[in-house]
Amino acid sequence: MASFNKVILVGNLVADPELKQTPNGISVCRIRLAIQRRFAKAGEDQQTADFIDVVAWRQTAEFVSRYFKKGRPILVCGQIQSRNWTDKDGGKRVSVEVVADEVSFVDSKSGAQDGAPTQYTPTNNYGSPAYSNAPDSNFEEITADDGLPF
């Protein structure tokens, strides 16, 4: 049976990102997102928040730590990963987190920092950077419906 593991989240950062390095010098950044969820209780719409742990590696980690701060909205695309370990008291523990493949700004360009790229997407699993800015994209703006094929 085929498997598929992809998650897309939009939420606000609970705290400022903190960039760390592994002993081998690989950048890693752990963040937590607060994501609003609506539900109905007694016929009325209610809201609550889910808190999701996200880990970013290499250039993605550096991008997050440089351009995002506490409270700022962020879009994360990635994969769900679980880890098992034994705590200091001998208890079995499980952690579920999202490993970020792509991150992007959610707020308007006017809300973004000057000079900040609008999105970071690695081009391969080795973290080669591929920054994308809207003015530099390969898309052509079509101003009239005349040229549309549908």
Side-chain angles (χ1 to χ4, degrees):
M1 176 199 275
S3 297
F4 185 75
N5 182 356
K6 186 73 169 181
V7 63
I8 300 171
L9 302 170
V10 175
N12 294 336
L13 284 163
V14 173
D16 286 340
E18 185 177 330
L19 185 65
K20 294 185 179 182
Q21 304 286 323
T22 67
N24 294 334
I26 297 172
S27 299
V28 61
C29 182
R30 292 187 181 279
I31 57 175
R32 178 171 274 195
L33 300 183
I35 301 172
Q36 297 295 322
R37 179 169 41 96
R38 294 181 184 182
F39 64 96
K41 184 175 182 181
E44 292 185 28
D45 285 339
Q46 303 285 322
Q47 278 193 348
T48 188
D50 292 312
F51 296 91
I52 310 294
D53 293 321
V54 178
V55 62
W57 294 90
R58 296 178 175 80
Q59 284 86 357
T60 306
E62 293 170 11
F63 177 80
V64 170
S65 69
R66 183 172 182 187
Y67 294 111
F68 290 91
K69 301 291 181 217
K70 177 181 178 177
R72 184 129 191 223
I74 187 172
L75 180 141
V76 174
C77 297
Q79 301 175 22
I80 296 174
Q81 171 180 290
S82 63
R83 296 182 291 126
N84 299 309
W85 77 92
T86 304
D87 65 17
K88 63 182 179 181
D89 298 327
K92 302 281 185 190
R93 306 288 294 201
V94 177
S95 174
V96 177
E97 60 195 4
V98 173
V99 178
D101 296 326
E102 302 174 36
V103 295
S104 181
F105 294 108
V106 177
D107 48 2
S108 68
K109 189 169 182 176
S110 63
Q113 295 176 354
D114 290 335
T118 56
Q119 179 179 10
Y120 176 74
T121 306
T123 57
N124 59 42
N125 292 335
Y126 303 106
S128 299
Y131 292 98
S132 170
N133 283 325
D136 298 333
S137 69
N138 294 327
F139 292 101
E140 172 184 335
E141 183 177 344
I142 299 175
T143 56
D145 291 343
D146 300 342
L148 294 177
F150 49 88

